[in-house]
Amino acid sequence: MKVYKFGGASVKDAAGVRNLEKIVRLAVTNDQRPTTNDLMVVVSAMGKTTNALERVVEFCAAGQEDKALNQWIDIIDFHVTIMKELGLQPGIDIRLHGEIPYDPACSFDENYDQIVSMGELLSTQIIAVYLLKQGLSVEWWNMPKLLRTDTTWREAVVDNETSRAVIRAGWDRPNRPTVVVAQGFIGGTADGKRTTLGREGSDYTAALLGNYLDAESVTIWKDVPGILNADPRLEPNTVLIPSLRYQDAVELSYSGAQIIHPKTIRPLENKQIPLYVKPFGDPTAAGSRIAADGVGPIDVPVYIWRKNQILITMRAKDFAFVLEESLSEIFDIIHRHRLKVSLIQSSAVTISVCVDNTRFVPAAIEELRVHFNVSYNDHLSLLTIRGTTPNILARAKAGRTIMLSQTTRRTARLVVKEED
Ligand code: ASP
Ligand code: MG
């Protein structure tokens, strides 16, 4: 069996869904023994639906019911338009929710998961029904009932043992349809609440399903030709990297390459399942292949931007500064507040960490201030250049305000001020 993952951009309109059908049909009719045609199709929310649903949660939490409802109706309308263009009957073929699943007695984050998960539930229902109407053998899966997680709302931790057993049982059934359509990014708790795995988490779902079901490969269908050495929106001359090792892919995604979610590689590497990144606009193109036998190291300079960073610098409050002791204290606080560290630097009397500027940062800084003198700079980006040379580095630095830099012979990491 294979796993295909389609992101929001690939299913942002009716044409995208028709294109998905074309790609799925190619896979299930291309019988190449000894492999089977069985296909797990993992889908994200359509277009920018997740962002729109986040606004619904924010309006609800702020008590702005009219705004929340208007936003909700816009989201439903957007999906209804797509359904109609695909010849589906809203409300008959696909269930629509008139009410926002908001409970004022629950926390913001718990409500977030109940509401934001609707994007994937809608997209997958539309796609499953459409594929069925096109004559394919299809089943829709409800991941909140199958992918078991804890209750860490918005960043739920998957219980692999339970999930694997449930998902394998569902998959190994006799007479299961050839194609299964499942939501990426969402799961559920033991008591039936929906959870989400963190923004852009659909790739991770695809990797987990590939691992549970011993897939022969996992393919992520994207709006780019594969993994490129730079973001084509930022660099005019990009090249495709046709083959990578797992470790290179982990490093790229950790450095901020938007192409794959950082958690995606481990479940695949554990079972030696190759990962393909291919363009949904050109399904027979080779794209990029990530595997243990991939070619490495990458032989073109690779530019990776990690945006929205904050550089936090801690200084001892007195002279009794012991680096080792401070480190464990700092990283304990960082870990408890779920900060994502992108770079660390220390001197005799200071420690600086660059982290993603998430909603968890203010509380972490507050706690750090109990122990240290803390200063910070925000509106920063981290630029990682792999395969750098003195020339490349000089060019990258030109005209930019560099807050901090770390360079080794082949890799440069620059914390730079975001230009406004
Ligand atoms: N729909 C979710 C998001 O936009 C998950 C994903 O796209 O992977 O974050
Ligand atoms: Mg997405």
Side-chain angles (χ1 to χ4, degrees), residues 131-335:
L131 294 180
L132 202 61
K133 294 217 165 186
Q134 301 309 304
L136 291 166
S137 158
V138 183
E139 180 167 271
W140 178 81
W141 277 14
N142 186 17
M143 293 303 270
K145 295 247 181 309
L146 303 170
L147 191 75
R148 174 68 59 78
T149 74
D150 68 359
T151 56
T152 313
W153 312 112
R154 302 180 68 175
E155 201 131 352
V157 178
V158 176
D159 170 353
N160 282 313
E161 212 177 310
T162 307
S163 306
R164 182 192 307 277
V166 175
I167 284 166
R168 280 217 77 118
W171 184 261
D172 292 336
R173 272 163 36 237
N175 305 322
R176 168 190 39 76
T178 311
V179 179
V180 170
V181 177
Q183 307 83 46
F185 173 60
I186 71 175
T189 64
D191 60 357
K193 290 275 191 169
R194 292 190 290 271
T195 52
T196 63
L197 308 180
R199 287 300 307 265
E200 306 301 331
S202 295
D203 295 352
Y204 180 47
T205 303
L208 289 176
L209 290 172
N211 177 299
Y212 298 163
L213 300 174
D214 296 301
E216 65 196 76
S217 65
V218 172
T219 304
I220 298 179
W221 295 94
K222 304 269 310 181
D223 54 359
V224 284
I227 297 186
L228 305 172
N229 72 324
D231 184 335
R233 287 164 301 188
L234 304 172
E235 295 278 334
N237 303 311
T238 55
V239 292
L240 176 75
I241 305 170
S243 171
L244 295 86
R245 301 170 300 182
Y246 291 119
Q247 69 202 69
D248 297 320
V250 170
E251 224 181 290
L252 289 188
S253 63
Y254 170 78
S255 305
Q258 293 281 311
I259 200 93
I260 27 178
H261 190 278
K263 287 203 272 189
T264 311
I265 300 299
R266 179 61 69 76
L268 299 177
E269 185 174 16
N270 284 347
K271 290 227 171 152
Q272 299 286 299
I273 298 167
L275 172 67
Y276 292 91
V277 179
K278 294 192 184 197
F280 60 70
D282 185 8
T284 54
S288 300
R289 177 178 180 275
I290 301 157
D293 61 0
V295 177
I298 300 164
D299 63 357
V300 291
V302 180
Y303 297 81
I304 309 140
W305 284 93
R306 186 154 163 166
K307 302 234 146 155
N308 199 19
Q309 300 293 297
I310 178 165
L311 183 67
I312 307 172
T313 300
M314 283 134 301
R315 211 174 290 274
K317 279 194 167 169
D318 51 44
F319 293 109
F321 183 76
V322 181
L323 183 65
E324 288 72 21
E325 282 170 16
S326 305
L327 278 178
S328 71
E329 197 163 24
I330 288 167
F331 285 100
D332 176 58
I333 295 171
I334 283 176
H335 179 70

Side-chain angles (χ1 to χ4, degrees), residues 5 7-9 44 200:
K5 182 260 169 174
S44 302
E200 306 301 331

